[in-house]
Every structure is written in C-alpha cells, then in structure tokens.
Amino acid sequence: MANSLSPLALPVIIDCGGCGNSIAKFNLVSYNLGGLDGQGRVLLSELCSEKFKLGVILLQEHWLSPDRLTLLQNFDPSFSSFGISGMEEKLSMGILKGRPFGGAAILVHNSLLASTASLLITERVNIISVCNTIVINAYFPSKEVSNRPITLSLLREIGLVIEMFPGYDVLMGGDFNMDLREKSPLTNPVHDFIKKCNLKICYDLIKPNCDYTFFRDALGQKTMIDFFLCSDSLKSRLVEHEMLDKLLNYSDHLPLFVSVNAVMNPVPSGRVSPPPPPPPPPPQPKNNQT
C-alpha cells in the first residue's frame, strides 16, 4: 500500500480553466465483506473514517436479511446506503436454513447525496449516478456453468443502464468471481461487454501493488477476482489503483481502491435527467381505399 492516498476533494471542487466542467479527486473502494456482522465490520469501520476520504464504497456479501438492513444504513453517520438483501427471494419461500448469504450495497458519502441518484438496485447489482459519473457495484455468481445465464443477465441489465446515459463516465467495480486478466469461455462474455460499453480494466492501466484480491492462507489459495473497470473517457484520469493489503482484515477479500479525476458538476435536486424521448414517428399517409 502506498504511504498516502490522494484525498477526495469534497466538497471542494477544482474548476478546470473555464471549460464548463469541474474536476475533483474521487476515491472509491470495492470490498467483499464476507458478512457485515463478522468478518467485514472492522475493516469497513476504518474505510469509513476520514483517513481514506472515500466518496463511495462498493460492498458485496453483506449477508443481511431485509429486516436487518438498518445495520448497514446506520453503519456510519457520514455515509448513506443504497442496496437490498440478497435473501429476499429465499426468505419469501419460508424460513432461511443454513447461514446467511449474498447482498450488495453502495455506501455514499453524505456530502455527495445532493448529486446522487439511484438508477438500479437489485440483489447483485447496484447502480447510482454521482454527478456526471455512473457508479456500478456488481456481485457476480460463482463460475459454475449453471450460473452463466445469471452472469449474462447481469451484464444485459448493466449495459442497458449505461446506454441510457451516453454522456456519463462509468466506474464499475465488484467481485466478478473470475480473473478478467484471462481469456476463456468463462470470461469471454464479460470481455465482450467491456468492448461493447467501451470500458477498460483498471488493472491494465495501472498495475496494483499485488496480484491477488481473494486469499485463503490455510489452503494456500490466492486469486484475482475483484476488479474495477472504467470508461475510456476516464483512462487518462485514473490516478491510483491498489489493494489495501496492510489493514486489519478478517475477510478473505482485499479491499480494492481507485482514485480518479472525475467530472463533478452538481446535478440539480439530486436527480439525473433521463435521456430525451425518441421523436414521434412521422404521420402515416391516409389510406384512401374503402
């Protein structure tokens, strides 16, 4: 880990020479908690501190049932939560058996809420806009062949939202449950999505400080399955990309940190303007036949 991390310029905005846009340092982390109640709580508390000056924290596997989401919503007074339980469908079928599982959520620093809008919230995908940036949190299923339809469905959902806002930058992070540095039948759909949406893998732009994000020391396992992607418009403004591997961490995932110089023009009333509707079809000629 670097000795110091670039601070998030909040609420200070730097005007970029009268170009009509404002640029601010925007710090984000993606972290698979392995359960808010147990493994992830200690490190998440540190991530929420002023030390890291984070604007957005992407979380996977919080393991909270719907009635316990307040634990995340009230986790830190400086952050607000966007997300739902990963167990809603399972609980709708009866009493949960076995350990809790799943769930994805985004924590947004309160100083950004006035320019934040929720675009899509599901059990595995959370998408928000922060000023002129689309922020996507994704928790992909494990790599069994039977799960590939789920992966394809998630990519379609995400792609549709990106298409709705063509003028926005995109930052997408999360637990992909696959190594995107490889080309294989498993990763090809994601690589096709990356190409279609004109995204870049941050790992390819700035090499991080270690080559794994998931580890199980007892089994000698270390793999890279957590990634950040950014739109082509952000590749020259990516400032830092690293694993926070020196923190007290009880999860089996490392937090992944990125910092970008993002366009941070406030959006009035905290709402994203939807794309304009398509023009009405031209009038059809009258049918003179009787």
Side-chain angles (χ1 to χ4, degrees):
M1 176 180 170
N3 291 330
S4 62
L5 299 176
S6 299
L8 176 67
L10 286 176
V12 178
I13 300 295
I14 305 168
D15 183 34
C16 60
C19 62
N21 293 328
S22 298
I23 303 297
K25 194 81 72 177
F26 189 23
N27 295 341
L28 303 89
V29 155
S30 175
Y31 181 44
N32 185 312
L33 291 162
L36 178 68
D37 286 337
Q39 297 174 340
R41 173 176 291 275
V42 173
L43 196 149
L44 182 58
S45 295
E46 188 167 0
L47 293 176
C48 290
S49 70
E50 287 296 316
K51 173 183 176 182
F52 293 100
K53 300 188 183 300
L54 293 171
V56 168
I57 304 173
L58 311 181
L59 300 174
Q60 306 88 42
E61 289 203 80
H62 55 64
W63 296 359
L64 296 175
S65 56
D67 61 306
R68 303 184 71 243
L69 281 174
T70 53
L71 295 178
L72 193 57
Q73 294 161 356
N74 301 323
F75 186 81
D76 187 279
S78 296
F79 286 86
S80 296
S81 172
F82 296 81
I84 64 174
S85 172
M87 297 179 282
E88 291 193 1
E89 182 178 355
K90 190 74 172 180
L91 288 171
S92 69
M93 296 184 291
I95 299 174
L96 178 68
K97 296 181 180 180
R99 70 168 180 81
F101 60 88
I106 298 178
L107 297 184
V108 178
H109 195 276
N110 290 337
S111 62
L112 286 171
L113 283 182
S115 295
T116 298
S118 174
L119 304 181
L120 177 67
I121 303 296
T122 72
E123 293 183 355
R124 289 187 175 272
V125 174
N126 318 129
I127 306 180
I128 62 172
S129 65
V130 180
C131 297
N132 300 80
T133 301
I134 302 297
V135 179
I136 303 163
N137 178 33
Y139 173 46
F140 284 84
S142 55
K143 57 185 180 182
E144 285 81 6
V145 174
S146 60
N147 284 333
R148 292 186 186 179
I150 300 175
T151 295
L152 293 174
S153 177
L154 297 179
L155 293 173
R156 282 194 297 268
E157 288 180 343
I158 296 168
L160 287 172
V161 175
I162 293 175
E163 288 176 4
M164 290 175 63
F165 303 97
Y168 282 62
D169 296 326
V170 176
L171 277 167
M172 176 175 172
D175 181 355
F176 286 78
N177 260 310
M178 64 185 83
D179 191 339
L180 298 183
R181 299 172 301 176
E182 302 173 351
K183 294 291 184 68
S184 69
L186 175 66
T187 63
N188 283 342
V190 181
H191 284 288
D192 291 343
F193 163 83
I194 289 171
K195 182 177 180 180
K196 179 182 178 181
C197 295
N198 202 20
L199 303 177
K200 305 295 181 184
I201 301 174
C202 292
Y203 183 94
D204 295 336
L205 302 175
I206 297 178
K207 291 294 185 291
N209 47 306
C210 59
D211 61 356
Y212 67 93
T213 59
F214 174 79
F215 60 95
R216 285 178 176 164
D217 290 337
L219 300 176
Q221 296 177 347
K222 289 184 178 181
T223 58
M224 177 85 75
I225 58 175
D226 303 86
F227 289 89
F228 265 105
L229 313 176
C230 69
S231 54
D232 188 70
S233 58
L234 282 177
K235 69 178 183 181
S236 63
R237 292 187 267 136
L238 181 65
V239 180
E240 296 183 63
H241 174 236
E242 63 179 311
M243 281 57 147
L244 305 182
D245 61 334
K246 304 300 182 184
L247 305 177
L248 182 61
N249 181 21
Y250 296 108
S251 172
D252 50 13
H253 288 252
L254 294 174
L256 182 58
F257 172 91
V258 293
S259 181
V260 299
N261 289 324
V263 177
M264 302 293 279
N265 287 337
V267 178
S269 74
R271 293 293 182 267
V272 173
S273 299
Q284 298 295 320
K286 294 182 179 179
N287 190 345
N288 294 324
Q289 297 178 354
T290 59

